[in-house]
Amino acid sequence: MKKFDRERVLLAVAGPVIALAVAFALTSIVLVASGQNPVEPYALMFEQLGFSDIQVLIINQASMYYIAALSVAIGFRMNLFNIGVDGQYQLGAMLAAIVGAHVALPAALQVPLLLLTAVLTGAFWAGIAGVLKVTRGVSEVVATIMLNAIATSVIAYLWLPNVFGVKVGNNNTTGEMHESGWIPGIPVGAAGEIYGLVLLAVLLGVGYWVVLNRTRFGFDLRASGASQTAAAASGVDPKRMVLSAMLISGGIAGLAGLPILLGDTHTYSLNFPTGIGFLGIGIALLGRNSPVGIAFAALLWAWLDKASPELDFHGYDKEIAVIMQGLIVLSVVVSYEAVREWGLRRQQRRVGAELAAGHVLGNNNTTKEVAGR
């Protein structure tokens, strides 16, 4: 491996490693300050990795985190901050649940219909922010935050009994979906089942890498994110790329809730997980927008979620995992900036050394020419 390639790998790995180390250290300080053992909680959570049922829960949860983080990462690649992934994913799941409860087609048609419904719903909701940005210059941050609030109200309206809501006890639901829309899981014995749409998360990760690194569209997207002015000078329409990025980001976000919807709950209710879109931001940051890095970050986040309940049985608060997740996000921002500065300084020193070596070589050649005369 060339020296330059080794440095790139080192810089890519250093940020997440530093962030995790700092997060673990700061969480330990919090534990010590509260008079608790700073090591035992980690040991208890690592111990949970040995149980097959916890492993299944981690993989299932990570699949949703991964899809949400990919959605965020696409925005980041375009230098866009799509904070509306949570609203896009919830609306996508709810509309898919409504369609699944009121339309009965053969499985070969029903499942694609539900996937398409979720994608189009998420893309439409994100597209509103995209249109506002390219036509009126409205910040996508402000627009998506407002759209999250509106999405909550839209969901509450759709839950009304005279609209699409079905009351089950004190729970608001959209009614059970027809079985033709259920996705069978991958059985792993007594541990349960892995969601069938975990495979969709894998395919999305592969597609994300291929599109960004092996297509002209991906190059234009990355170029526009790096410098819209330079991209425009090379013939790329930056407004079209902004709108395209928001539509694709929203479309993927709409799929984030489908692994659990089609593989477990088969209805959208008050118990449906929320906040996944916001967690996707931290996961995308920790994974540095890389499909492999995001996969590891999603598994880490899911492990913290699913292993932390064990802490309650040993006198520790499971909120320790939430503290750690928050500290990871903060540490990521700081560590990546520190690594970036370190990389720039190394690059400057290397260029300076090469220029100095070239200057000395040039002087030596001049001296030889003069001596030869």
Side-chain angles (χ1 to χ4, degrees):
M1 185 182 291
K2 297 180 181 179
K3 182 178 179 182
F4 178 69
D5 292 333
R6 287 199 301 270
E7 288 187 358
R8 288 185 62 185
V9 172
L10 178 62
L11 291 174
V13 173
V17 171
I18 293 173
L20 291 175
V22 171
F24 274 85
L26 292 177
T27 306
S28 297
I29 292 174
V30 172
L31 288 168
V32 171
S34 60
Q36 295 179 309
N37 189 316
V39 177
E40 187 180 19
Y42 304 133
L44 291 170
M45 287 195 292
F46 276 114
E47 187 179 299
Q48 300 304 301
L49 288 174
F51 299 106
S52 57
D53 57 335
I54 298 297
Q55 294 168 5
V56 169
L57 291 174
I58 289 172
I59 292 172
N60 288 339
Q61 190 76 6
S63 66
M64 296 188 293
Y65 289 166
Y66 186 72
I67 296 173
L70 283 181
S71 172
V72 175
I74 289 173
F76 283 162
R77 287 288 191 171
M78 185 59 202
N79 204 22
L80 296 171
F81 204 174
N82 182 9
I83 301 183
V85 170
D86 206 62
Q88 295 150 21
Y89 123 80
Q90 289 189 60
L91 275 179
M94 186 175 207
L95 266 293
I98 291 172
V99 171
H102 291 82
V103 177
L105 297 173
L109 298 175
Q110 184 83 342
V111 172
L113 173 63
L114 300 180
L115 293 175
L116 185 61
T117 299
V119 168
L120 293 179
T121 302
F124 170 76
W125 208 247
I128 296 173
V131 170
L132 289 173
K133 184 173 181 66
V134 300
T135 60
R136 292 291 181 264
V138 178
S139 168
E140 76 280 1
V141 175
V142 175
T144 51
I145 289 176
M146 295 298 100
L147 285 168
N148 277 340
I150 296 172
T152 302
S153 299
V154 171
I155 289 171
Y157 170 75
L158 294 175
W159 260 332
L160 293 175
N162 60 340
V163 186
F164 293 109
V166 176
K167 207 71 168 169
V168 178
N170 293 324
N171 197 1
N172 293 327
T173 78
T174 53
E176 187 172 70
M177 301 167 60
H178 292 285
E179 289 192 26
S180 59
W182 298 9
I183 301 291
I186 304 170
V188 285
E193 289 186 343
I194 295 174
Y195 296 151
L197 284 185
V198 165
L199 299 177
L200 174 63
V202 175
L203 291 176
L204 286 174
V206 173
Y208 169 83
W209 184 87
V210 170
V211 169
L212 282 181
N213 297 283
R214 292 292 184 269
T215 68
R216 175 57 190 267
F217 175 79
F219 174 80
D220 291 346
L221 188 72
R222 289 182 285 113
S224 300
S227 173
Q228 289 194 13
T229 304
S234 64
V236 178
D237 184 352
K239 290 186 176 181
R240 180 178 64 85
M241 295 309 300
V242 167
L243 184 57
S244 298
M246 288 299 295
L247 289 172
I248 295 172
S249 177
I252 294 177
L255 293 170
L258 264 58
I260 189 172
L261 177 68
L262 303 188
D264 184 16
T265 64
H266 309 304
T267 187
Y268 187 92
S269 69
L270 290 172
N271 300 326
F272 205 80
T274 59
I276 289 178
F278 296 111
L279 293 176
I281 296 173
I283 294 169
L285 286 172
L286 183 60
R288 301 206 69 173
N289 301 324
S290 159
V292 176
I294 292 173
F296 282 111
L299 288 168
L300 170 67
W301 235 264
W303 165 66
L304 290 172
D305 281 345
K306 299 306 179 183
S308 58
E310 179 68 18
L311 299 178
D312 280 339
F313 300 103
H314 298 270
Y316 295 96
D317 296 324
K318 64 180 180 180
E319 283 72 23
I320 290 172
V322 179
I323 293 173
M324 187 178 296
Q325 289 172 343
L327 290 174
I328 287 173
V329 175
L330 292 175
S331 302
V332 161
V333 177
V334 176
S335 64
Y336 282 1
E337 184 62 24
V339 169
R340 188 183 69 84
E341 291 292 335
W342 177 63
L344 286 175
R345 286 197 296 270
R346 282 181 61 85
Q347 185 178 18
Q348 289 168 354
R349 286 197 297 268
R350 184 172 62 251
V351 172
E354 291 174 354
L355 290 174
H359 180 68
V360 171
L361 180 62
N363 287 340
N364 289 338
N365 291 336
T366 302
T367 302
K368 289 178 181 178
E369 291 177 3
V370 172
R373 294 173 186 172

